[in-house]
């Protein structure tokens, strides 16, 4: 039987940030307050069986592979515990969608793993962290949603779809065309739709099988735009890039100069995926495609997927991984 305990893991972000004055919503420093203080600031959580652990303390714009590995490892440990119903992670908004996708891919948890955040620092008059944290715990405790989700501004978003869509608004996240999975109202969850099944053909990438973070393949995103220049891609190939995601225009179309360079990169063994820089929708494959598409993933998530695929391939073939980033 699954227990009732919720573990809240702190990683920093604006939710743990402080500003010089409570009316200043821009000039603040992220990751100043410990997760214990964040939980203590929500009196409604006092009576609940909540355990806390500070895993990281950073501005999520600076998230790196080492951070992801540490966080995923702690999530895995707590999710394994019988007395734990679910795990909540307090996280910065900037790369939340990337961490959510990474955790989804390497853990694929059967319990709720809920990321939450804030768009205003903890001492702001508009502070949204306490309500988001309360909602996230309600989602984790409800047992009605499993897997990795993000909770912000009363909405629950799936890890594959969630995207930060606004740099300032409190409801900064959306789920694209599909819409959120659920809303949280007065601590109650109202389900709007069920999670889509995992993408077909996805290769297994499990935490235990990943090499140390320093040995992960180097994968970057390049954007196709007017006046795109092939030298960027050629330079990356010379420096030893392992994979490239191109954020294409429209339906994943790529400037002719960039496409020629990307095809040269493929010839030299660099894996390339084509996503779209459009905010919504996905690249629809068609017969004449010369570069593989990202199977509906946004550029930042396609980058993670490609890294994990390259590592899964390396395990399967025992081939050495591409040289690490300089
Ligand atoms: N820079 C902050 C972070 O991502 C922004 C936020 O949390 O809203 O950590």
């Amino acid at each position: 039987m699954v227990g009732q305990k919720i573990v809240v893991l702190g990683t920093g972000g604006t939710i743990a940030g402080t500003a010089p004055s409570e009316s200043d919503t821009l000039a603040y420093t992220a990751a100043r307050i410990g997760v214990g203080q964040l939980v203590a600031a929500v009196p409604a959580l006092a009576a609940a069986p909540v355990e806390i652990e500070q895993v990281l303390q950073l501005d999520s714009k600076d998230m790196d592979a080492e951070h992801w590995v540490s966080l995923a490892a702690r999530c895995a440990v707590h999710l394994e515990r019988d007395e734990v119903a679910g795990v909540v992670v307090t996280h910065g908004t900037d790369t939340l969608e990337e961490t959510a996708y990474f955790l989804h891919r390497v853990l694929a948890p059967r319990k709720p793993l809920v990321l939450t955040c804030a768009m205003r620092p903890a001492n702001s008059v508009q502070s949204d962290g306490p309500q988001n944290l309360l909602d996230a715990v309600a989602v984790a405790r409800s047992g009605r949603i499993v897997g990795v989700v993000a909770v912000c501004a009363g909405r629950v978003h799936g890890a594959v779809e969630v995207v930060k869509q606004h740099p300032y608004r409190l409801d900064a996240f959306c789920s694209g065309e599909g819409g959120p999975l659920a809303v949280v109202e007065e601590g109650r969850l109202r389900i709007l739709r069920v999670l889509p099944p995992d993408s077909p053909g996805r290769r297994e990438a499990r935490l235990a099988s990943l090499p140390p973070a320093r040995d992960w393949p180097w994968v970057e995103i390049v954007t196709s735009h007017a006046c795109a220049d092939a030298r960027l891609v050629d330079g990356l190939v010379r420096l030893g890039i392992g994979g490239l995601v191109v954020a294409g225009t429209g339906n994943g179309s790529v400037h002719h100069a960039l496409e020629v360079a990307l095809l040269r990169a493929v010839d030299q063994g660099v894996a390339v995926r084509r996503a779209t820089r459009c905010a919504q929708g996905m690249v629809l494959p068609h017969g004449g495609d010369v570069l593989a598409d990202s199977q509906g993933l946004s550029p930042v998530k396609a980058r993670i997927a490609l890294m994990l695929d390259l590592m899964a391939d390396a395990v399967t073939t025992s081939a050495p991984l591409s040289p690490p980033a300089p």
Side-chain angles (χ1 to χ4, degrees), residues 44-294:
L45 293 177
V50 170
E51 195 177 303
I52 53 157
E53 183 180 325
Q54 191 76 47
V55 178
L56 305 167
Q57 186 66 302
L58 81 165
D59 186 321
S60 80
K61 73 178 176 57
D62 297 324
M63 191 64 69
D64 279 321
E66 290 83 1
H67 300 129
W68 276 345
V69 171
S70 316
L71 175 61
R74 294 313 295 156
C75 289
V77 164
H78 291 298
L79 289 166
E80 273 291 308
R81 294 166 58 198
D82 288 342
E83 71 274 27
V84 170
V87 170
V88 169
V89 176
T90 59
H91 197 287
T93 59
D94 287 343
T95 56
L96 184 145
E97 70 210 63
E98 296 175 59
T99 300
Y101 182 71
F102 174 74
L103 294 174
H104 164 72
R105 285 292 308 269
V106 302
L107 297 177
R110 301 278 164 235
K111 289 181 184 175
L113 174 46
V114 184
L115 280 74
T116 194
C117 56
M119 288 296 288
R120 300 289 178 267
N123 64 334
S124 165
V125 280
Q126 296 177 37
S127 175
D128 52 330
Q131 184 66 52
N132 285 343
L133 181 54
L134 190 59
D135 289 348
V137 170
V139 171
R141 183 163 287 142
S142 76
R144 295 177 64 201
I145 285 185
V146 295
V148 183
V149 295
V151 169
C152 182
R155 295 193 176 90
V156 184
H157 306 279
V160 177
E161 297 148 325
V162 64
V163 59
K164 186 172 179 181
Q165 62 166 348
H166 202 282
Y168 185 72
R169 273 192 347 225
L170 299 188
D171 62 338
F173 288 88
C174 75
S175 293
E177 292 165 313
L181 299 173
V183 289
V184 193
E185 296 159 330
E186 301 296 320
R188 281 187 296 275
L189 197 60
R190 183 157 58 88
I191 306 281
L192 301 178
R193 64 187 181 89
V194 291
L195 269 172
D198 287 348
S199 43
R202 199 181 76 180
R203 265 155 305 162
E204 285 291 299
R206 290 288 177 261
L207 189 59
S209 66
L210 296 184
R214 65 177 178 280
D215 295 335
W216 287 16
W218 180 26
V219 179
E220 292 286 343
I221 301 168
V222 295
T223 303
S224 185
H225 50 78
C227 318
D229 193 317
R231 287 175 295 181
L232 175 61
V233 169
D234 291 338
L236 289 169
V237 172
R238 270 198 304 276
L239 289 169
I241 194 88
L244 282 167
V245 172
V246 55
T249 40
N251 190 35
S253 51
V254 179
H255 187 287
H256 68 91
L258 204 54
E259 185 172 273
V260 168
L262 288 167
L263 289 171
R264 257 197 312 268
V266 171
D267 280 345
Q268 292 180 50
V270 178
V272 177
R273 298 280 184 281
R274 209 166 35 91
T276 175
R277 62 180 219 190
C278 291
Q280 299 211 9
M282 60 180 280
V283 174
L284 300 174
H286 65 88
D289 289 339
V290 288
L291 293 168
D293 68 82
S294 67

